[in-house]
Amino acid sequence: MSQNSPSDRLETSFAPFRDKMQAEGLSESAIRAFRGSYAALLAGETGMIPEDTIQAAQDLPKADALTAPEAKRASELLKQTVLIKLNGGLGTGMGLEKAKSLLPVRGEDTFLDLIARQILRLRAQTGGEVPVFMLMNSFSTSADTAEHLEARFPKLGGREVWELMQNKVPKVLASTLEPAPWPANPEQEWCPPGHGDIYACLAGSGWLERLLASGVRYAFVSNSDNLGATLDPAILAWFADSGMPFAMEVTRRTESDKKGGHLAVRLRDGRFLLRESAQCPKDDEKHFQDIERHRYFNTNNLWIDLQALKAALAANDGLIPLPPIMNKKTVDPRDASSPAVIQLETAMGAAIECFAGAGAIEVSRVRFAPVKTTSDLLAVRSDAYELTEDFCLRLHPSREGQPPHLHLDQKLCKLVDGLENNFPHTPSLLHCRSLLVHGPVECGEGVVFKGDAVIHNHTSSPVKLKTGTHEGTLSVGG
């Protein structure tokens, strides 16, 4: 083999990354997964998915048409299932310095509290320690999460029984594609690898083998900020009966989702794939944003057959070959003059293209209520969502699957502190179609927004919203 072959070039270029990751104590699974992403970067892959290489996903089975299994079978399936919640996010975009799941969402109850109550209720119903529950934490969320759960829910046990620790990966210097040095703060030389890291985490930590050895075959994975994503026995039974290695819950795209990624079918091999906006050529944008053509998007609620995962890892040199996401940043995100780097990440849903026979199922918006912004947070805190007896936060049935569209002043409400300054009391949004707020407000008790409500405050003093119904446009100082 020539010393200048692509394989030799990859090994030579990757050697310093391997050394750095080994010195940090990262597993061989984590190193192999990062090597796969780095190889794509070195080869100049763009990850683009042109429209003429795919066709739209159509006519998927619907979760709402499923019948729940009888109690005995449901209990048997739950004994074979692990529920994994992704809990690595700090919510820095909302001004948080702790796990986003520790935000209060209903009274004093946080996302994490409601998840724990969901698990304990399921276990009470099955009379045991099932389903197995795990949190995929990052180094940033591990300590806060453990302290909270061990204080409030000791029945769940310590982190040794529920923690799956996310890896970290080196940042890549954009100018040379070498590991990025930053002696001023060596922690900035590393970044999270995205939630696609879950496969390397399960393998490298030994949890995959331990779960299989204990009789656990199925994993249900979802985001900790999505309280609609409960472990539904009807979908679990559907997945188990299907024989699929992997299945994704998708829901219908709306106008507000048209720039988000969508599910499609690759013409070359008939496999499902996810196409994100960054993977769409500019000439194909009109097709990408056509929600009638590409009607489904990923909720990040995934079902995985762990036996199939083990087989796929063995067949692919210990990794799941996920397409990398290449984010261009500076090595110190707070210093725009610091060297340019590439952060290599992967998304766990992209694994749908890595499993022959993988499938998807359409779910309603009831199972999709993520909190990415303070607007989302205000919505789920309001009566537009109801807390069910099984501690699931769901859109109120009267809303017929349509959440309220909130557009809060980003200068004032982007961060949680700003949201709570402007909305010290959560308004009623049950009958609100949309709410646009520009300028400072002070929301009092008993405020009800109805229909389409608009507040334009052109002054620096907050508009004091008093008890009563607010509909239409309120303009102050304009």
mmCIF file of all heavy atoms in Angstrom, residues 66 112 119 126 141 220 233 377 385 443:
data_model
loop_
_atom_site.group_PDB
_atom_site.id
_atom_site.type_symbol
_atom_site.label_atom_id
_atom_site.label_comp_id
_atom_site.label_asym_id
_atom_site.label_seq_id
_atom_site.Cartn_x
_atom_site.Cartn_y
_atom_site.Cartn_z
ATOM 1 N N LEU A 66 -52.898 2.467 17.132
ATOM 2 C CA LEU A 66 -52.448 1.258 17.820
ATOM 3 C C LEU A 66 -53.333 0.931 19.018
ATOM 4 O O LEU A 66 -53.927 1.820 19.624
ATOM 5 C CB LEU A 66 -51.002 1.435 18.300
ATOM 6 C CG LEU A 66 -49.942 1.698 17.225
ATOM 7 C CD1 LEU A 66 -48.588 1.935 17.886
ATOM 8 C CD2 LEU A 66 -49.860 0.538 16.246
ATOM 9 N N LEU A 112 -36.969 17.204 35.423
ATOM 10 C CA LEU A 112 -36.400 15.985 35.990
ATOM 11 C C LEU A 112 -37.334 15.368 37.036
ATOM 12 O O LEU A 112 -37.468 14.143 37.121
ATOM 13 C CB LEU A 112 -35.038 16.302 36.607
ATOM 14 C CG LEU A 112 -34.047 15.157 36.742
ATOM 15 C CD1 LEU A 112 -33.837 14.441 35.418
ATOM 16 C CD2 LEU A 112 -32.719 15.678 37.268
ATOM 17 N N ILE A 119 -41.367 7.504 35.978
ATOM 18 C CA ILE A 119 -40.706 6.213 36.167
ATOM 19 C C ILE A 119 -41.254 5.496 37.402
ATOM 20 O O ILE A 119 -41.589 4.301 37.352
ATOM 21 C CB ILE A 119 -39.184 6.403 36.314
ATOM 22 C CG1 ILE A 119 -38.597 7.017 35.049
ATOM 23 C CG2 ILE A 119 -38.499 5.077 36.640
ATOM 24 C CD1 ILE A 119 -38.765 6.190 33.817
ATOM 25 N N THR A 126 -46.058 -1.963 37.761
ATOM 26 C CA THR A 126 -45.530 -3.275 37.402
ATOM 27 C C THR A 126 -44.987 -4.030 38.615
ATOM 28 O O THR A 126 -44.544 -5.171 38.482
ATOM 29 C CB THR A 126 -44.401 -3.135 36.359
ATOM 30 O OG1 THR A 126 -43.392 -2.252 36.863
ATOM 31 C CG2 THR A 126 -44.937 -2.566 35.052
ATOM 32 N N THR A 141 -23.515 18.416 33.409
ATOM 33 C CA THR A 141 -24.810 18.210 34.076
ATOM 34 C C THR A 141 -24.785 17.100 35.118
ATOM 35 O O THR A 141 -25.740 16.948 35.877
ATOM 36 C CB THR A 141 -25.903 17.874 33.045
ATOM 37 O OG1 THR A 141 -25.572 16.650 32.356
ATOM 38 C CG2 THR A 141 -26.063 18.997 32.026
ATOM 39 N N PHE A 220 -35.836 2.951 24.645
ATOM 40 C CA PHE A 220 -36.591 4.108 24.168
ATOM 41 C C PHE A 220 -35.820 5.337 24.602
ATOM 42 O O PHE A 220 -35.572 5.543 25.793
ATOM 43 C CB PHE A 220 -38.004 4.132 24.753
ATOM 44 C CG PHE A 220 -38.767 5.389 24.404
ATOM 45 C CD1 PHE A 220 -38.929 5.784 23.086
ATOM 46 C CD2 PHE A 220 -39.305 6.199 25.404
ATOM 47 C CE1 PHE A 220 -39.611 6.945 22.752
ATOM 48 C CE2 PHE A 220 -39.994 7.368 25.083
ATOM 49 C CZ PHE A 220 -40.145 7.736 23.753
ATOM 50 N N PRO A 233 -46.726 1.815 26.103
ATOM 51 C CA PRO A 233 -46.731 0.362 25.870
ATOM 52 C C PRO A 233 -47.241 -0.026 24.486
ATOM 53 O O PRO A 233 -46.806 -1.035 23.924
ATOM 54 C CB PRO A 233 -47.658 -0.171 26.971
ATOM 55 C CG PRO A 233 -47.605 0.856 28.056
ATOM 56 C CD PRO A 233 -47.476 2.170 27.338
ATOM 57 N N LEU A 377 -40.952 27.577 26.974
ATOM 58 C CA LEU A 377 -41.091 27.390 28.415
ATOM 59 C C LEU A 377 -42.377 28.029 28.930
ATOM 60 O O LEU A 377 -43.114 27.425 29.731
ATOM 61 C CB LEU A 377 -39.872 27.973 29.143
ATOM 62 C CG LEU A 377 -39.855 27.839 30.664
ATOM 63 C CD1 LEU A 377 -39.887 26.376 31.095
ATOM 64 C CD2 LEU A 377 -38.627 28.533 31.244
ATOM 65 N N TYR A 385 -51.113 23.489 28.112
ATOM 66 C CA TYR A 385 -50.655 22.120 28.357
ATOM 67 C C TYR A 385 -51.249 21.640 29.679
ATOM 68 O O TYR A 385 -51.421 22.419 30.619
ATOM 69 C CB TYR A 385 -49.123 22.058 28.427
ATOM 70 C CG TYR A 385 -48.472 22.250 27.077
ATOM 71 C CD1 TYR A 385 -48.341 23.524 26.535
ATOM 72 C CD2 TYR A 385 -48.010 21.171 26.351
ATOM 73 C CE1 TYR A 385 -47.765 23.703 25.289
ATOM 74 C CE2 TYR A 385 -47.432 21.353 25.103
ATOM 75 C CZ TYR A 385 -47.310 22.610 24.581
ATOM 76 O OH TYR A 385 -46.744 22.804 23.343
ATOM 77 N N CYS A 443 -46.714 40.926 33.610
ATOM 78 C CA CYS A 443 -47.937 40.123 33.560
ATOM 79 C C CYS A 443 -48.413 39.819 34.974
ATOM 80 O O CYS A 443 -47.727 39.143 35.744
ATOM 81 C CB CYS A 443 -47.677 38.826 32.794
ATOM 82 S SG CYS A 443 -49.151 37.829 32.526
#
